[in-house]
Amino acid sequence: MHIDDLRALAPLWLSKTEEVRQDKSHWSTNITGDIYGMGWISEMYGYSFGAAEVGLRHKINDDIMIYPGYTPRPGIEPLILHYGLPFKVGNWSFSKLEHHEDGIIYDCNRLFPPPPFPREIEMMESDPNIKRGLFLSIECINTLNEGLLLHHASVGCPKPQWSKYLSFLKSRRFSELTKPKYWKGQQVDSIVTMQHVALSKANSEYPKIHTLFSTECSSYFDWQTVGLMHSFRLSGQPGNITRLLSCTDEDLKNYKGHDLAPTHYVPSMSRHPLTGDWYPAINKPAAVLHWLNHVQTDAEFLVILDADMIMRGPITPWEYGAKRGHPVSTPYEYLIGCDNILAKIHTRNPSACDKVGGVIIMHIDDLRRFALLWLHKSEEVRADKAHYATNITGDIYNSGWISEMYGYSFAAAEINLRHIIRRDIMIYPGYVPLPGAKYRVFHYGLRFGVGNWSFDKADWRNADVVNTCWAKFPEPPDPVTIMKQDLDARERDLLSIECGRALNKALYLHHKRRNCPRLDPIRSTSKKADQVSASNKIERVAQMSRSTSRGNNESMDEGSEKTVERTAVTVQPLHRSRRLARSSRMWIIGVWALSIVVFLLVISMFFTEQRRNVSRSRVSRSLKAHV
């Protein structure tokens, strides 16, 4: 096999072997051919399935190897004797399983039982092909015994006593029987089925670069894709870019965003195919591995980004010093597990654990060695629920949501990839920038704001701003209104505004390319009002979902998504019913108040009339008395 093909195959060979080995429901003999029904030949299937996965097609030749005990075809001289099965010659037999625990290499001058001599075989069989098969069988065991003798002599064992068999092993006859064989089959040109080695053009000053980012089939990732692709075109980034789109077959049936970016389609692992665990973040390492195994590339360096990023300039290995064995990345200081028991559990080299993530610049050879381990370590950390605690992982939700980030760091430590950590590549909007830093990437994974304006990507999880003509996010303030005397705060706010405006600019150009109809001023005003109303509804829904969500700021699990959807459906009827109830209460209170006033008026009039009658009676009696 060509070395480039082996590099492509090896990671998948391992992963497919593990996959078949775990598939116990299909171990039966009628499915696998394994006579023991124990999954013992899973590795063989792992090889075949791995080769099929990367598109390696074998030239199958049965002239090269033979099992001792088998009869060779006429004219064929096999080059390899594979003694994996029991074989016999006359009354003599050999099975490697009988010597599974045998310490024969440590016992001076002890050999396997000698087989019949060649002259005995001459008398034993007349058919020339069967006879050749018997000669191959004794050649196999005689070669093993000769190897044992040479090994024993090399470790200082005493010279063995003479025997007829030892004399034969040193004879000319034995040398003739075991002389080197040369394959007489048809010469085959070396063909590289898939070339994965990184090559640079001879006339190119710098190595080739390819940029990758991972997404899923949802409107949430679609608007992020629009933003990143727009910024990529403006950034001057060398090379091409590929979106790694992880989707289920069902999602793809209704998906509308195929044309948003150059795309490599990846089977979704949001729901783990073996464990059933819901963890969409695992799609990132799985997608990178899938791309490596299925795509031919001549790029020497890969730049790996997240979808929720805006590029401000080129990210190149020659500017930031990336090289083979030393990738470049940005700091993730909250990965405290690199400094405690978590790293000791999940990597043999905890001292090499770098707290990094976000932007990655890595040599293609390192990525090929690393990608499968990145996926496996992510699965491993995700399964380690006993160490989800915040004081161990730094995950404030104790949910294992940042397992993929630890998977990256632990996998890199495992193969001793030491990162060049650069703080001047990426910034979160809302953070105070380093003096003089020329950031190349905005990572808007956290809420940020300027004055009364703010933006949180989680608020727009269910908003289809890509397929709704002229939809956009609330406009950030005008930069000229930022008059703060604190220069750091002013620079922070200007960067936040730049990020928000870049997203809206990307959406505007996207709608323009889609030939959205132009709106007249009246309809435009109405449309803006509708957008504001929709925005307010989405923000209210997002706030309700965040109060119950256990995901982090950058992700949401399946249950939370369903909660948001149900809330979005019921929020308007709920508000309407509350308004009706409030108006009913006010009407009842008004009626009661009016009734009380009327009652008091009637009582007042009654008592007033009584007092008048009493007064008249007294006057009348007084007059009579005077008379």
Side-chain angles (χ1 to χ4, degrees):
M1 184 178 291
H2 193 281
I3 184 64
D4 298 334
D5 293 333
L6 185 58
R7 287 195 178 106
L9 168 67
L12 214 57
W13 183 1
L14 174 60
S15 63
K16 288 295 180 182
T17 299
E18 294 173 323
E19 184 180 310
V20 176
R21 180 68 179 167
Q22 291 176 348
D23 185 13
K24 295 183 179 181
S25 61
H26 295 93
W27 276 7
S28 59
T29 303
N30 65 322
I31 295 177
T32 64
D34 179 3
I35 60 173
Y36 302 103
M38 297 294 292
W40 203 250
I41 56 176
S42 299
E43 175 273 323
M44 301 178 192
Y45 278 112
Y47 176 88
S48 294
F49 294 161
E53 193 76 8
V54 298
L56 290 178
R57 300 306 301 269
H58 291 77
K59 178 176 176 59
I60 301 174
N61 194 307
D62 59 357
D63 298 347
I64 298 175
M65 184 193 82
I66 193 172
Y67 287 95
Y70 282 37
T71 300
R73 291 189 299 170
I76 298 302
E77 193 69 62
L79 304 180
I80 296 174
L81 303 176
H82 188 184
Y83 55 93
L85 302 175
F87 60 99
K88 66 178 183 176
V89 178
N91 294 325
W92 174 92
S93 65
F94 178 82
S95 174
K96 72 172 187 177
L97 289 178
E98 295 175 358
H99 301 275
H100 197 272
E101 303 293 335
D102 196 340
I104 192 169
I105 64 169
Y106 307 110
D107 296 344
C108 281
N109 300 321
R110 185 162 73 87
L111 307 177
F112 295 115
F117 289 100
R119 65 175 178 272
E120 297 177 63
I121 293 176
E122 293 283 359
M123 301 171 59
M124 192 181 298
E125 183 59 55
S126 59
D127 185 286
N129 283 324
I130 297 177
K131 185 185 296 184
R132 285 182 62 242
L134 296 177
F135 273 115
L136 289 173
S137 295
I138 66 168
E139 178 185 348
C140 177
I141 196 65
N142 287 334
T143 303
L144 280 172
N145 278 336
E146 183 186 30
L148 286 171
L149 283 174
L150 294 173
H151 170 73
H152 292 156
S154 69
V155 297
C157 288
K159 187 176 180 180
Q161 293 182 354
W162 182 90
S163 69
K164 186 178 180 180
Y165 180 62
L166 291 181
S167 178
F168 166 72
L169 292 180
K170 297 178 181 180
S171 68
R172 180 178 298 178
R173 175 65 169 153
F174 176 73
S175 297
E176 291 175 353
L177 289 172
T178 58
K179 65 183 178 181
K181 310 297 190 299
Y182 299 97
W183 191 42
K184 299 178 181 179
Q186 181 182 0
Q187 295 296 320
V188 180
D189 293 335
S190 176
I191 299 174
V192 180
T193 305
M194 294 182 66
Q195 184 174 359
H196 288 262
V197 70
L199 299 173
S200 298
K201 289 185 178 179
N203 59 354
S204 177
E205 182 180 358
Y206 296 111
K208 283 193 174 182
I209 304 173
H210 196 98
T211 303
L212 302 174
F213 68 103
S214 175
T215 72
E216 300 168 33
C217 280
S218 69
S219 58
Y220 178 59
F221 278 102
D222 281 356
W223 63 256
Q224 295 176 42
T225 298
V226 168
L228 179 55
M229 288 302 300
H230 170 67
S231 66
F232 175 84
R233 297 184 189 102
L234 298 178
S235 67
Q237 176 73 358
N240 297 320
I241 188 169
T242 298
R243 171 179 61 164
L244 307 178
L245 185 61
S246 300
C247 301
T248 64
D249 292 339
E250 194 63 30
D251 289 336
L252 279 175
K253 292 178 182 178
N254 302 314
Y255 183 63
K256 301 176 182 178
H258 296 281
D259 61 341
L260 297 179
T263 301
H264 174 74
Y265 294 90
V266 182
S268 175
M269 278 189 64
S270 294
R271 178 76 64 190
H272 197 283
L274 297 179
T275 66
D277 178 38
W278 176 259
Y279 184 53
I282 200 73
N283 282 314
K284 184 176 180 180
V288 170
L289 180 62
H290 193 276
W291 183 84
L292 284 172
N293 289 331
H294 289 80
V295 173
Q296 179 178 345
T297 181
D298 60 354
E300 187 172 347
F301 282 91
L302 277 299
V303 176
I304 302 175
L305 305 176
D306 288 335
D308 56 344
M309 290 182 173
I310 294 292
M311 297 183 68
R312 305 177 73 230
I315 305 167
T316 60
W318 51 87
E319 180 175 358
Y320 294 108
K323 53 188 176 182
R324 186 186 282 106
H326 292 281
V328 168
S329 192
T330 51
Y332 273 4
E333 299 293 352
Y334 54 83
L335 297 179
I336 60 175
C338 277
D339 300 326
N340 59 39
I341 190 174
L342 197 66
K344 295 177 182 178
I345 292 173
H346 294 290
T347 177
R348 294 171 295 180
N349 193 15
S351 62
C353 184
D354 293 327
K355 302 174 188 175
V356 294
V359 176
I360 300 164
I361 312 172
M362 187 177 289
H363 194 279
I364 185 71
D365 294 343
D366 293 333
L367 189 59
R368 288 198 177 105
R369 289 194 301 135
F370 165 76
L372 181 63
L373 205 57
W374 181 8
L375 175 60
H376 284 178
K377 287 296 179 182
S378 298
E379 293 173 319
E380 184 181 306
V381 177
R382 177 69 178 170
D384 185 12
K385 296 184 179 181
H387 295 93
Y388 274 8
T390 302
N391 64 325
I392 295 177
T393 64
D395 178 4
I396 61 174
Y397 300 102
N398 301 326
S399 63
W401 205 253
I402 57 177
S403 299
E404 175 272 320
M405 301 179 191
Y406 278 114
Y408 178 91
S409 293
F410 293 160
E414 195 76 3
I415 60 176
N416 204 33
L417 280 181
R418 301 311 303 265
H419 290 78
I420 299 169
I421 302 176
R422 297 293 299 255
R423 299 178 181 275
D424 57 346
I425 299 177
M426 183 190 81
I427 188 172
Y428 286 94
Y431 281 35
V432 175
L434 294 173
K438 297 180 179 179
Y439 296 104
R440 302 300 170 85
V441 172
F442 287 133
H443 189 185
Y444 54 91
L446 305 175
R447 177 179 289 275
F448 62 98
V450 178
N452 294 326
W453 174 86
S454 67
F455 180 83
D456 188 341
K457 69 171 188 175
D459 292 350
W460 302 88
R461 182 172 292 276
N462 297 310
D464 191 1
V465 294
V466 170
N467 296 306
T468 304
C469 272
W470 307 117
K472 64 177 183 177
F473 305 116
E475 285 288 351
D478 193 317
V480 299
T481 63
I482 307 301
M483 306 296 291
K484 295 180 179 178
Q485 294 183 350
D486 186 338
L487 294 181
D488 288 341
R490 185 174 186 276
E491 188 65 23
R492 175 200 64 201
D493 290 350
L494 289 176
L495 290 174
S496 297
I497 292 171
E498 180 185 341
C499 181
R501 296 181 80 175
L503 284 170
N504 274 341
K505 180 68 172 179
L507 284 172
Y508 169 78
L509 293 175
H510 165 75
H511 295 314
K512 191 174 181 180
R513 284 193 298 270
R514 289 282 179 93
N515 295 318
C516 282
R518 298 187 65 178
L519 300 176
D520 58 56
I522 296 177
R523 291 179 62 191
S524 178
T525 302
S526 174
K527 183 71 175 179
K528 288 182 179 178
D530 292 342
Q531 289 175 357
V532 170
S533 176
S535 172
N536 290 337
K537 290 177 185 176
I538 292 170
E539 289 181 7
R540 288 197 300 271
V541 171
Q543 289 168 2
M544 296 175 69
S545 68
R546 283 198 301 274
S547 67
T548 57
S549 174
R550 294 186 60 82
N552 70 353
N553 287 323
E554 299 190 30
S555 305
M556 181 182 291
D557 61 16
E558 184 181 37
S560 298
E561 291 181 6
K562 292 180 180 178
T563 301
V564 172
E565 291 171 3
R566 289 195 297 269
T567 306
V569 172
T570 59
V571 64
Q572 286 183 310
L574 180 61
H575 287 182
R576 188 159 51 247
S577 65
R578 287 177 177 173
R579 288 196 297 270
L580 290 173
R582 191 181 301 114
S583 62
S584 298
R585 286 196 297 270
M586 293 299 294
W587 183 81
I588 293 171
I589 291 171
V591 171
W592 274 102
L594 181 61
S595 300
I596 292 171
V597 170
V598 171
F599 175 78
L600 291 175
L601 286 173
V602 171
I603 293 297
S604 176
M605 291 173 63
F606 175 79
F607 281 109
T608 301
E609 186 64 27
Q610 287 293 324
R611 283 197 298 271
R612 287 176 180 173
N613 291 337
V614 170
S615 178
R616 290 194 196 102
S617 175
R618 287 176 179 174
V619 170
S620 176
R621 285 197 298 270
S622 176
L623 290 173
K624 288 179 181 180
H626 285 291
V627 173

